Amino acid sequence: MQFINEALLAAGALLFVAILVSAVSQRIGLPVLLVFLAVGLFATELPGAPSNPIDSGTAALIGNLALAVILLDGGLRTRVATFRMVAAPSLVLATLGVLLTSALVGVLAITLLGFDWRYGLLMGAIVGSTDAAAVFALLRAGGLRLNERVGSTLEVESGINDPMAVFLTVAMLELIRLPSASLLQIAPMFLQQMGVGLVGGWALGRLLAEVVARVRLTEGLYALLIQSGGLLIFATTNLFGGSGFLAIFLAGMIVARRRVHVTEDVLRVSDGLAWLAQAGMFLILGLFAEINGLLDVAPTALAIGIGLIVVARPLAVALVLLPFHYPRNEIAFIGWVGLRGAVPIVLGLFPLMAGIGDASLLFHITFFTVLLSLLLQGRDAAAGGAPGARDRAGQLAGAGQRIDRGARRPARADPAARAAGGARRGAAAR
């Protein structure tokens, strides 16, 4: 009983402190998720704290569960019409863009660390995808005003690019464990992940939408019904070899499309659960890392992180979006706001669970890269709400003031914002 009380005290104290500190971080332009990671990281250095409070399997389980909740919330808030508008560029970014980014980072890792090409590409695959939790949190809480196509491209890409990153990571691990295997032998795994994920998300999403529409429940239970149904879809799709991440995102969109019982109250509950999942996940992943391990890899990880942020991601985005005629400033912004977060860290746990050599090195380089991404990219965009900090975001997303590429009018403020602005002007006049 003493252990249970101590565990609950530690968990509650960590979450409470992290949320309080995040309020301060928003004022100075630091992303909230960076605070959660930092609190978890430094908590292990407190006197009497266990050095390894959680194992890699438990951390991966918590990470996958939290990502499922976050992606379901993202799907519930993504309109089908919006998805169709950016489906082609987002899909190319989520597949070919991740592949190019991973390859470029892999070359850098091979050069700097002297890795075998398999280990180099494994490093690239782990950090190759953007993170839904980080991107969703930034776009919703960062104070950015983007046009619909740019914001939707970023959200949809981050929601569907996990299958490619998971496939590349697992494929490289298989090639390391079985050097005689070839990429052609592993390629069907990707088709299975995408195919089963799409079919499972569409079919089971329609089934969940029908259940939600027909069942009569107390109003407060609909949010829990949708969440539990989403987790069922996530787990079932994974069991059949598909991508549960893709399936639960699509299922969320399909359920929201029916608009039956998906009320504003339900969305508020979903948003709260998504924030709880993000906070808990980043705290747990922070607890799993070691400060000494991060310091040991700092010079190399800094070079890899800068290469990813400044070269690999922007170059990959520019190449794959070229056929879709995005303006240069939109391409620059999408290339810059490719935040890394929990997904790379969770993928960084895979080598540890597989027991390959240099697994700890790979994990801590990944963790350092995520910290760097949140600190540089996340702070740059999240600081959009801070006085004097919008310049870079404004330069990169100048087209974000337009509704779409063909419409050159400024984006309209919502009615509440217009009313508040009128009230302030009236008060100033008086």
Side-chain angles (χ1 to χ4, degrees), residues 183-206:
L183 285 174
L184 291 178
Q185 292 175 305
I186 303 173
M189 183 196 308
F190 173 68
L191 298 177
Q192 180 181 2
Q193 284 263 316
M194 293 293 288
V196 176
L198 285 169
V199 173
W202 178 80
L204 297 178
R206 288 176 64 89

Side-chain angles (χ1 to χ4, degrees), residues 29-403:
L30 286 176
V32 174
L33 300 182
L34 178 61
V35 174
F36 290 125
L37 268 182
V39 169
L41 180 63
F42 286 102
T44 58
E45 303 300 316
L46 296 174
S51 57
N52 292 304
I54 189 169
D55 61 84
S56 59
T58 304
L61 172 62
I62 294 172
N64 278 277
L65 175 62
L67 285 171
V69 173
I70 293 162
L71 286 169
L72 177 60
D73 180 64
L76 289 172
R77 296 171 186 277
T78 302
R79 292 178 299 158
V80 173
T82 299
F83 180 81
R84 287 173 179 164
M85 178 180 68
V86 298
S90 296
L91 183 60
V92 175
L93 277 173
T95 52
L96 185 57
V98 172
L99 180 62
L100 287 175
T101 302
S102 301
L104 291 170
V105 175
V107 170
L108 188 58
I110 293 169
T111 303
L112 293 176
L113 296 169
F115 275 164
D116 174 80
W117 69 271
R118 296 176 182 85
Y119 274 88
L121 291 181
L122 174 60
M123 180 75 256
I126 290 172
V127 299
S129 68
T130 60
D131 181 64
V135 172
F136 290 174
L138 173 68
L139 295 182
R140 292 171 190 168
L144 294 174
R145 296 181 61 84
L146 302 176
N147 69 49
E148 187 177 13
R149 189 170 73 156
V150 173
S152 299
T153 300
L154 286 166
E155 285 206 21
V156 174
E157 179 211 359
S158 67
I160 66 174
N161 67 4
D162 295 326
M164 188 65 176
V166 172
F167 162 71
L168 290 174
T169 301
V170 173
M172 289 303 109
L173 285 173
E174 287 298 313
L175 289 177
I176 290 170
R177 294 167 60 183
L178 302 171
S180 60
S182 68
L183 285 174
L184 291 178
Q185 292 175 305
I186 303 173
M189 183 196 308
F190 173 68
L191 298 177
Q192 180 181 2
Q193 284 263 316
M194 293 293 288
V196 176
L198 285 169
V199 173
W202 178 80
L204 297 178
R206 288 176 64 89
L207 178 61
L208 178 59
E210 193 67 25
V211 170
V212 172
R214 291 182 178 275
V215 173
R216 295 292 176 263
L217 296 170
T218 303
E219 188 66 27
L221 289 178
Y222 284 109
L224 296 180
L225 178 65
I226 293 171
Q227 294 290 328
S228 58
L231 291 176
L232 274 173
I233 292 171
F234 175 77
T236 302
T237 306
N238 281 334
L239 286 174
F240 281 92
S243 170
F245 297 121
L246 177 59
I248 198 169
F249 183 79
L250 291 177
M253 285 197 303
I254 292 170
V255 171
R257 187 184 183 187
R258 287 292 296 269
R259 298 179 183 176
V260 180
H261 302 305
V262 185
T263 63
E264 191 62 34
D265 290 335
V266 168
L267 291 178
R268 286 196 188 99
V269 173
S270 177
D271 185 58
L273 291 173
W275 272 109
L276 178 62
Q278 291 179 54
M281 173 176 57
F282 276 79
L283 279 172
I284 292 297
L285 294 176
L287 288 171
F288 190 78
E290 298 177 357
I291 291 181
N292 289 335
L294 294 175
L295 294 176
D296 290 341
V297 302
T300 304
L302 182 63
I304 291 176
I306 293 295
L308 167 66
I309 294 168
V310 177
V311 180
R313 163 73 181 183
L315 182 58
V317 169
L319 289 174
V320 302
L321 288 186
L322 193 61
F324 298 101
H325 307 294
Y326 278 69
R328 291 181 181 178
N329 51 356
E330 291 184 1
I331 291 176
F333 185 77
I334 293 171
W336 179 252
V337 187
L339 272 74
R340 270 58 192 173
V343 171
I345 297 177
V346 171
L347 292 179
L349 296 172
F350 283 22
L352 289 169
M353 292 187 290
I356 67 170
D358 291 322
S360 180
L361 174 66
L362 291 169
F363 175 78
H364 283 93
I365 290 176
T366 302
F367 198 99
F368 193 101
T369 302
V370 169
L371 287 176
L372 189 66
S373 173
L374 290 173
L375 185 60
L376 294 183
Q377 297 168 290
R379 185 183 187 282
D380 198 26
R390 294 186 62 96
D391 294 343
R392 180 174 173 81
Q395 291 166 3
L396 290 177
Q401 300 301 318
R402 300 190 296 270
I403 294 175

